[in-house]
Amino acid sequence: MAGLEVINEKVREASAFIPSLKAEIGKVIVGQDYLIDRLIIGMLSNGHVLLEGVPGLAKTLTVNTLASAMETSFQRIQFTPDLLPADLIGTLIYNPKDGDFFTKKGPVFSNIILADEINRAPAKVQSALLEAMQEHQVTIGDETFHLPEPFLVMATENPIEQEGTYPLPEAQVDRFMLKLNIDYPSRDEERKILARMAHTSTNIEVSPVITPATILEARKAVDEIYVDDKIKEYILDIVFATREPEKYNLDIADYLRYGASPRATLALTNGARAHAFLQGRGYVTPQDVKSIAPDILRHRIIVSYEAEADELTSDDIIEKLLSEIPVP
């Protein structure tokens, strides 16, 4: 028990920056607590985030504000059908003066990347970005370059404009730790947005309150957060129930084409730890797992045609899993 108290104390100290970070972001962003929490969880877990929502829900603004509050470098890359991998990672340029090539690094060499409308770019560009996400390095010519740490990709998808898009293959979507569905603000929140933003110039200063070093230190504390064996079994039950639902007496086999991959197990554990960290707690509870599970599983569960015919989404299946699998 003494060990747990030590971890609790470490986590309380390491997470002291969270309120000031949220307050700084709150100067610009109204509401969107779910989005902000999940972006911080992605940052703490060294995992990338896919955002889906209609235009105008402050996805880009939130990511930009987060980067400004963190003293990190930020690049927004607008993905278009004519984008090339070299536009993203960089290329070799010939210098006629000395007859040699020099490396021009691309915008991917930043701490936080916003890949806007990622599904508008062709597969080659998506692959180049996803390789950088996975390996935290890129190769230009014969040389390999490491990307700065922390390195976080937040990609946006537009759910309603399907024309001119290249859907991300399941294997590539799986590289994103979290997929968030961003919804409209409430009426009260929109009233506050109106009061704050309905001016021809809205220049709100955001001060950096933490450094990249703070995030890297916080990650060490997240890694130390205690996960009981019963919680680990609970995480495995959730993931395996997406692959073998009949073993868990779940009547959803006809609705599933593919279950979650082992990446889901790792992401659930790390995400639950980061969720506990946000609460200033040194141990994971089943509620941490349940809170983060929809964001980690919704893009990893591929539903069947029967599910689509019955108008069931992966979120509906996750809800059923979480309500029926026994909680430790």
Side-chain angles (χ1 to χ4, degrees):
M1 200 63 192
L4 195 54
E5 283 168 17
V6 171
I7 297 169
N8 264 327
E9 191 52 44
K10 269 189 188 175
V11 168
R12 271 196 293 273
E13 285 174 18
S15 62
F17 69 88
I18 298 288
S20 54
L21 178 62
K22 285 187 178 179
E24 206 60 36
I25 295 168
K27 284 184 184 176
V28 178
I29 306 299
V30 175
Q32 297 291 23
D33 295 334
Y34 158 78
L35 170 58
I36 293 163
D37 278 355
R38 296 308 186 262
L39 292 181
I40 295 171
I41 284 171
M43 181 69 76
L44 292 170
S45 311
N46 199 11
H48 307 288
V49 183
L50 184 60
L51 311 174
E52 190 171 284
V54 294
L57 296 183
K59 299 187 294 290
T60 305
L61 183 63
T62 304
V63 176
N64 199 343
T65 307
L66 175 67
S68 302
M70 285 176 47
E71 214 178 279
T72 47
S73 53
F74 169 74
Q75 283 284 356
R76 175 182 175 274
I77 305 164
Q78 182 65 51
F79 278 54
T80 55
D82 60 349
L83 200 70
L84 298 171
D87 298 328
L88 191 68
I89 63 171
T91 188
L92 291 173
I93 293 179
Y94 181 66
N95 184 351
K97 275 186 183 173
D98 53 16
D100 210 349
F101 287 89
F102 70 93
T103 304
K104 180 168 172 39
K105 292 180 178 179
V108 80
F109 286 88
S110 292
N111 294 114
I112 296 180
I113 306 291
L114 177 64
D116 238 346
E117 296 187 291
I118 189 173
N119 52 342
R120 287 203 175 280
K124 270 186 180 179
V125 178
Q126 292 175 6
S127 297
L129 177 66
L130 290 157
E131 184 188 356
M133 285 164 55
Q134 189 70 13
E135 311 298 335
H136 284 220
Q137 63 182 39
V138 294
T139 303
I140 305 171
D142 296 333
E143 256 190 291
T144 298
F145 298 90
H146 290 279
L147 296 168
E149 289 292 347
F151 176 68
L152 183 69
V153 173
M154 301 180 190
T156 67
E157 279 190 315
N158 187 332
I160 53 174
E161 261 186 76
Q162 294 304 320
E163 217 172 298
T165 60
Y166 303 79
L168 290 173
E170 286 89 346
Q172 292 187 342
V173 173
D174 194 35
R175 304 270 178 92
F176 286 96
M177 179 183 175
L178 305 162
K179 182 182 178 186
L180 314 181
N181 286 343
I182 312 305
D183 212 346
Y184 290 109
S186 67
R187 189 182 178 91
D188 285 346
E189 287 170 347
E190 199 142 344
R191 184 76 178 78
K192 287 176 190 166
I193 293 167
L194 177 62
R196 192 178 297 181
M197 297 292 189
H199 311 289
T200 50
S201 63
T202 52
N203 189 18
I204 300 168
E205 284 293 317
V206 177
S207 309
V209 289
I210 58 168
T211 63
T214 313
I215 289 292
L216 297 177
E217 277 303 309
R219 282 183 184 174
K220 290 178 188 172
V222 169
D223 285 342
E224 286 187 45
I225 287 175
Y226 176 68
V227 185
D228 191 80
D229 284 346
K230 286 179 182 172
I231 301 282
K232 289 176 184 172
E233 289 300 322
Y234 181 51
I235 288 169
L236 288 167
D237 282 343
I238 291 170
V239 174
F240 272 78
T242 69
R243 302 175 199 167
E244 305 163 340
E246 58 286 344
K247 287 188 180 177
Y248 295 85
N249 298 319
L250 291 165
D251 190 22
I252 54 171
D254 292 343
Y255 294 138
L256 291 167
R257 210 148 40 107
Y258 299 108
S261 73
R263 273 202 191 108
T265 309
L266 302 174
L268 258 177
T269 309
N270 291 332
R273 277 192 172 120
H275 193 272
F277 181 90
L278 282 190
Q279 323 297 318
R281 204 177 344 97
Y283 57 92
V284 171
T285 67
Q287 193 52 51
D288 291 320
V289 178
K290 288 180 98 163
S291 296
I292 202 77
D295 305 311
I296 281 165
L297 295 175
R298 70 165 53 94
H299 54 302
R300 293 185 162 100
I301 293 175
I302 313 300
V303 298
S304 65
Y305 296 118
E306 285 94 329
E308 287 174 13
D310 288 350
E311 296 185 349
L312 284 174
T313 64
S314 57
D315 279 298
D316 297 322
I317 289 164
I318 294 161
E319 196 178 319
K320 190 171 173 64
L321 285 175
L322 295 176
S323 65
E324 297 199 16
I325 289 173
V327 177

